Amino acid sequence: MEQKIAVLDYGMGNLRSVSKALEHVAPDAEVRVTDDHEWIRAADRVVFPGQGAARDCMAAIGQHHLNREVREAMKSKPFLGICMGLQVLLTFSEENAGTELLGIFPGQVMRFAADMPGDNGMPLKIPHMGWSRVRQSHSHPLWEGIADEARFYFVHSYHVVPEDSSLVAATTDYGIEFVSAISSGNLFAVQFHPEKSADAGLRLLKNFVNWKPE
């Protein structure tokens, strides 16, 4: 029986690139970009991509009435958050003079400082954009076959600071060491874009498609 994979459509995020990457690694699955509540509930796996501003993201989730669906999916099936799909899981973001988020995990989303020095002594550019190494904090099925400190593609100005350090699945250095992936039960969420991260990103997506959380 073929899998159903729901890519949450709330009007924001690189939805086509994510769905195409999933179709590539799971050719036998039915991948659907959708905000249909029944289809999301029936899906075997859910992917929550996102980009843009936190306040806009939270407003869009509300407009599409997906708050409950996101929470229920996190409890009941393999769930992958990407970029803003990671950030909105925390409690509060500094963005837009302060934005309340979903509050799944206690913690804040903080902006990179404007004056972080790079290796050449010059301030690092914000947003952090490009390829950076991802240091795995512990073994996880989604890291299978991916070398520690493999490079992934990032585009972001804010980073997550979860209160519970046991959530941290990976860190990355950009002026500071920041959390670039978290995991909890059947949930895995990353700051980088696996759909734009060549072989390592495709392997992570394939691992997600095959993941059977205990």
Side-chain angles (χ1 to χ4, degrees), residues 48-88:
F48 183 14
Q51 59 191 31
R55 182 173 296 170
D56 293 343
C57 180
M58 290 301 298
I61 292 171
Q63 289 165 4
H64 289 256
H65 306 290
L66 288 174
N67 193 309
R68 181 172 177 268
E69 303 309 321
V70 168
R71 294 175 184 276
E72 289 301 316
M74 288 178 190
K75 297 175 184 177
S76 61
K77 61 193 72 180
F79 186 99
L80 176 65
I82 298 174
C83 194
M84 187 59 71
L86 160 63
Q87 294 184 12
V88 297

Coordinates of all heavy atoms in Angstrom, one line a residue, residues 48-88:
F48 N 6.2 20.0 7.3 CA 5.8 21.3 7.6 C 6.9 22.3 7.1 O 7.7 22.6 7.9 CB 5.5 21.4 9.1 CG 5.0 22.8 9.5 CD1 4.5 23.7 8.7 CD2 5.0 23.1 10.9 CE1 4.0 25.0 9.1 CE2 4.5 24.3 11.4 CZ 4.0 25.2 10.5
P49 N 6.9 22.7 5.8 CA 7.9 23.6 5.4 C 7.5 25.1 5.7 O 6.3 25.3 6.0 CB 8.0 23.4 3.9 CG 6.6 23.0 3.5 CD 6.0 22.3 4.8
G50 N 8.4 26.0 5.5 CA 8.0 27.4 5.7 C 9.2 28.3 5.5 O 10.3 27.9 5.7
Q51 N 8.9 29.5 5.2 CA 9.9 30.6 5.1 C 9.1 31.9 5.2 O 7.9 32.0 5.1 CB 10.6 30.5 3.7 CG 9.7 30.6 2.5 CD 10.5 30.3 1.2 OE1 11.4 29.5 1.2 NE2 10.1 30.9 0.1
G52 N 9.9 33.0 5.5 CA 9.3 34.3 5.6 C 9.2 34.7 7.1 O 10.0 34.2 7.9
A53 N 8.4 35.6 7.4 CA 8.3 36.2 8.8 C 7.5 35.4 9.7 O 6.4 34.8 9.3 CB 7.8 37.6 8.7
A54 N 7.8 35.3 11.0 CA 7.1 34.5 12.0 C 5.7 35.0 12.1 O 4.8 34.1 12.1 CB 7.8 34.6 13.3
R55 N 5.4 36.3 12.2 CA 4.1 36.7 12.4 C 3.2 36.4 11.2 O 2.0 35.9 11.3 CB 4.0 38.3 12.6 CG 2.6 38.8 12.8 CD 2.7 40.3 13.2 NE 3.4 40.5 14.4 CZ 3.8 41.7 14.9 NH1 3.5 42.8 14.2 NH2 4.4 41.8 16.1
D56 N 3.7 36.5 10.0 CA 3.0 36.1 8.8 C 2.7 34.6 8.8 O 1.6 34.2 8.4 CB 3.7 36.5 7.5 CG 3.9 38.0 7.3 OD1 3.1 38.8 8.0 OD2 4.7 38.5 6.6
C57 N 3.7 33.9 9.2 CA 3.5 32.4 9.2 C 2.4 32.0 10.2 O 1.5 31.2 9.8 CB 4.8 31.8 9.6 SG 4.8 30.0 9.7
M58 N 2.4 32.6 11.4 CA 1.4 32.2 12.4 C 0.0 32.7 11.9 O -1.0 32.0 12.1 CB 1.7 32.9 13.7 CG 2.9 32.3 14.4 SD 2.7 30.5 14.8 CE 1.3 30.6 15.9
A59 N -0.1 33.8 11.2 CA -1.4 34.3 10.7 C -1.9 33.4 9.6 O -3.1 33.1 9.6 CB -1.2 35.7 10.2
A60 N -1.0 32.9 8.8 CA -1.3 32.0 7.7 C -1.8 30.7 8.2 O -2.8 30.1 7.7 CB -0.2 31.8 6.7
I61 N -1.2 30.2 9.2 CA -1.6 28.9 9.9 C -3.0 29.0 10.4 O -3.9 28.2 10.2 CB -0.6 28.5 11.0 CG1 0.7 28.1 10.4 CG2 -1.2 27.3 11.8 CD1 1.8 27.9 11.4
G62 N -3.3 30.2 11.0 CA -4.6 30.4 11.5 C -5.6 30.6 10.4 O -6.8 30.0 10.6
Q63 N -5.3 31.3 9.4 CA -6.2 31.5 8.3 C -6.6 30.1 7.6 O -7.7 30.0 7.1 CB -5.6 32.4 7.2 CG -5.6 33.9 7.7 CD -4.6 34.7 6.9 OE1 -4.1 34.3 5.9 NE2 -4.5 36.0 7.3
H64 N -5.7 29.2 7.6 CA -5.9 27.9 7.0 C -6.4 26.9 8.0 O -6.6 25.7 7.7 CB -4.7 27.4 6.3 CG -4.3 28.1 5.0 ND1 -4.6 27.6 3.8 CD2 -3.8 29.3 4.8 CE1 -4.2 28.4 2.8 NE2 -3.7 29.5 3.4
H65 N -6.6 27.4 9.2 CA -7.2 26.5 10.3 C -6.3 25.3 10.5 O -6.9 24.2 10.7 CB -8.6 26.2 10.1 CG -9.5 27.4 9.8 ND1 -9.8 28.3 10.7 CD2 -10.0 27.8 8.6 CE1 -10.6 29.3 10.2 NE2 -10.7 29.0 8.9
L66 N -5.0 25.4 10.5 CA -4.1 24.3 10.6 C -3.5 24.1 12.0 O -2.7 23.1 12.1 CB -3.0 24.4 9.5 CG -3.5 24.2 8.1 CD1 -2.3 24.4 7.1 CD2 -4.0 22.7 7.9
N67 N -3.8 24.9 12.9 CA -3.1 24.8 14.2 C -3.4 23.5 14.8 O -2.4 22.8 15.2 CB -3.7 25.9 15.1 CG -2.9 26.1 16.4 OD1 -2.6 25.2 17.1 ND2 -2.5 27.3 16.7
R68 N -4.6 23.1 14.9 CA -5.0 21.8 15.5 C -4.4 20.6 14.7 O -3.9 19.6 15.3 CB -6.5 21.6 15.5 CG -7.0 20.3 16.2 CD -8.5 20.3 16.4 NE -8.9 19.0 16.9 CZ -9.4 18.0 16.2 NH1 -9.4 18.2 14.8 NH2 -9.8 16.9 16.7
E69 N -4.4 20.7 13.3 CA -3.9 19.6 12.5 C -2.4 19.4 12.7 O -1.9 18.3 12.7 CB -4.2 19.9 11.0 CG -5.6 20.1 10.7 CD -6.5 19.0 11.2 OE1 -6.1 17.8 11.2 OE2 -7.6 19.3 11.7
V70 N -1.7 20.6 12.9 CA -0.2 20.5 13.1 C 0.0 19.8 14.4 O 0.9 18.8 14.5 CB 0.4 21.9 13.1 CG1 1.8 21.9 13.7 CG2 0.4 22.5 11.7
R71 N -0.7 20.2 15.5 CA -0.5 19.6 16.8 C -0.8 18.1 16.8 O -0.1 17.3 17.4 CB -1.3 20.3 17.8 CG -0.9 21.8 18.0 CD -1.8 22.5 19.0 NE -1.4 23.9 19.1 CZ -0.5 24.4 20.0 NH1 0.1 23.5 20.7 NH2 -0.2 25.6 20.0
E72 N -1.9 17.7 16.2 CA -2.3 16.3 16.1 C -1.3 15.5 15.3 O -1.0 14.3 15.7 CB -3.7 16.2 15.6 CG -4.8 16.7 16.5 CD -4.8 16.0 17.8 OE1 -4.7 14.8 17.8 OE2 -4.9 16.7 18.8
A73 N -0.9 16.0 14.2 CA 0.1 15.3 13.4 C 1.4 15.0 14.1 O 1.9 13.9 14.0 CB 0.4 16.0 12.1
M74 N 1.8 16.0 14.9 CA 3.1 15.8 15.7 C 3.0 14.7 16.7 O 3.9 14.0 17.0 CB 3.4 17.1 16.4 CG 3.9 18.2 15.6 SD 4.1 19.7 16.6 CE 4.4 20.9 15.3
K75 N 1.8 14.4 17.2 CA 1.5 13.4 18.2 C 1.4 12.0 17.6 O 1.7 11.0 18.3 CB 0.3 13.7 19.0 CG 0.3 15.0 19.8 CD -1.1 15.2 20.4 CE -1.1 16.5 21.2 NZ -2.5 16.8 21.7
S76 N 1.0 11.9 16.3 CA 0.5 10.6 15.8 C 1.3 10.0 14.7 O 1.0 8.9 14.4 CB -1.0 10.8 15.4 OG -1.1 11.7 14.4
K77 N 2.2 10.8 14.0 CA 2.8 10.2 12.9 C 4.2 10.9 12.6 O 4.4 12.0 13.2 CB 1.9 10.4 11.6 CG 1.6 11.9 11.3 CD 0.5 12.0 10.3 CE -0.9 11.6 10.9 NZ -2.0 11.7 9.9
P78 N 5.1 10.3 11.8 CA 6.3 11.0 11.5 C 6.1 12.4 11.0 O 5.3 12.6 10.0 CB 7.0 10.1 10.5 CG 6.4 8.7 10.8 CD 5.0 9.0 11.2
F79 N 6.8 13.4 11.5 CA 6.6 14.8 11.3 C 7.9 15.5 11.0 O 8.8 15.3 11.9 CB 5.8 15.4 12.4 CG 5.4 16.8 12.2 CD1 4.1 17.1 11.8 CD2 6.3 17.9 12.4 CE1 3.7 18.4 11.6 CE2 5.9 19.2 12.2 CZ 4.6 19.5 11.8
L80 N 8.1 16.2 9.9 CA 9.3 16.9 9.6 C 9.0 18.4 9.4 O 8.2 18.8 8.6 CB 9.9 16.3 8.3 CG 11.2 17.0 7.8 CD1 12.3 16.8 8.8 CD2 11.6 16.5 6.4
G81 N 9.7 19.2 10.2 CA 9.6 20.6 10.1 C 10.8 21.2 9.4 O 12.0 20.7 9.6
I82 N 10.7 22.1 8.5 CA 11.8 22.7 7.7 C 11.8 24.2 7.9 O 10.7 24.9 7.6 CB 11.6 22.3 6.2 CG1 11.7 20.8 6.1 CG2 12.7 23.0 5.4 CD1 11.5 20.3 4.6
C83 N 12.9 24.8 8.3 CA 13.1 26.2 8.4 C 12.1 26.9 9.3 O 12.1 26.6 10.5 CB 13.1 26.9 7.0 SG 13.8 28.5 7.0
M84 N 11.1 27.6 8.8 CA 10.1 28.2 9.7 C 9.3 27.1 10.3 O 8.7 27.3 11.4 CB 9.2 29.2 8.9 CG 8.2 30.0 9.7 SD 9.0 31.0 11.0 CE 9.7 32.3 10.0
G85 N 9.2 26.0 9.7 CA 8.6 24.8 10.3 C 9.2 24.3 11.5 O 8.7 23.5 12.3
L86 N 10.5 24.7 11.7 CA 11.2 24.4 13.0 C 10.9 25.6 14.0 O 10.5 25.4 15.1 CB 12.7 24.3 12.8 CG 13.6 24.5 14.0 CD1 13.3 23.5 15.1 CD2 15.0 24.5 13.6
Q87 N 11.1 26.8 13.5 CA 11.0 28.0 14.4 C 9.6 28.1 15.1 O 9.6 28.4 16.3 CB 11.3 29.2 13.7 CG 12.8 29.3 13.2 CD 13.1 30.6 12.5 OE1 12.4 31.6 12.6 NE2 14.3 30.6 11.9
V88 N 8.5 27.9 14.4 CA 7.2 28.1 15.0 C 6.9 27.1 16.0 O 5.9 27.2 16.7 CB 6.1 28.1 13.9 CG1 6.3 29.3 12.9 CG2 6.0 26.8 13.2

